[in-house]
Structure formats: C-alpha cells, structure tokens
Amino acid sequence: MLLAALLLVSTPAVAQMSPVGCNALSASADEAAAAIDKSLDQMKGDAFRAAMPHMPEKAKPAAADVEDARISAEMAMREYTHSLRDFATKIQNCGQ
C-alpha cells in the first residue's frame, strides 16, 4: 500500500499514470484483497456460535450482538475485496 500511496503522491494531477504505475496499483489492490480474504477465513466465528447456547443467559444478548457485528463486518469486507478486485482489473495496463 505504501508503494501505491507514493505513486499517487508523485504523479501530477494533470498527467496520466504510466502503465507501470497503473500495474503497481493493480497488483497492490489484488494483494490487499487477498490479505483481507485470509483474515475473513479466520473470523468465521464457528467456535463462538457453538458456545453461545452454553453461555450464561446474561451474556447471550451481548453474544448475539457480537455475532451480528461479525456478520456485518464480514459482508462489508467481502464487498470491499470485490471492489478492490474490480478496480485492479480496470486499472491494469491503464485500462487498455
């Protein structure tokens, strides 16, 4: 991501990015999407959900909130990775 930020800062607004810059951004977006996919695999929450019925009654509403938040975060992160991959495809070779 640092490379992508440097390319953006070093590219004048009036100039079009070079194919090298476009491809670097494309690769960076693909790498970021892959990293997010790996983290999504780790936040499935199977063990937490399995433990919910055995939790004290007082904790169950909070546990349900945690599960709802996890699902919302997962959906948002999946949409983000989809957008990153779409961007990576469209900017590759500067859209040519």
Side-chain angles (χ1 to χ4, degrees):
M1 284 311 244
L2 178 59
L3 175 62
L6 289 173
L7 288 170
L8 288 175
V9 171
S10 65
T11 304
V14 295
Q16 184 173 347
M17 290 183 101
S18 70
V20 171
C22 290
N23 291 340
L25 279 174
S26 177
S28 181
D30 271 334
E31 289 171 13
I36 292 169
D37 282 342
K38 284 183 183 178
S39 68
L40 283 171
D41 289 341
Q42 297 174 359
M43 62 181 278
K44 289 196 185 303
D46 296 335
F48 186 77
R49 272 191 311 282
M52 285 175 69
H54 309 288
M55 293 178 184
E57 289 302 317
K58 187 176 182 180
K60 287 182 181 180
D65 289 345
V66 168
E67 179 60 8
D68 289 347
R70 185 200 64 77
I71 291 168
S72 295
E74 180 182 1
M75 290 171 58
M77 290 172 72
R78 288 198 188 283
E79 179 61 29
Y80 181 50
T81 59
H82 175 75
S83 296
L84 280 170
R85 286 194 172 98
D86 185 49
F87 169 76
T89 299
K90 289 190 170 123
I91 197 164
Q92 192 171 27
N93 296 319
C94 293
Q96 297 176 356

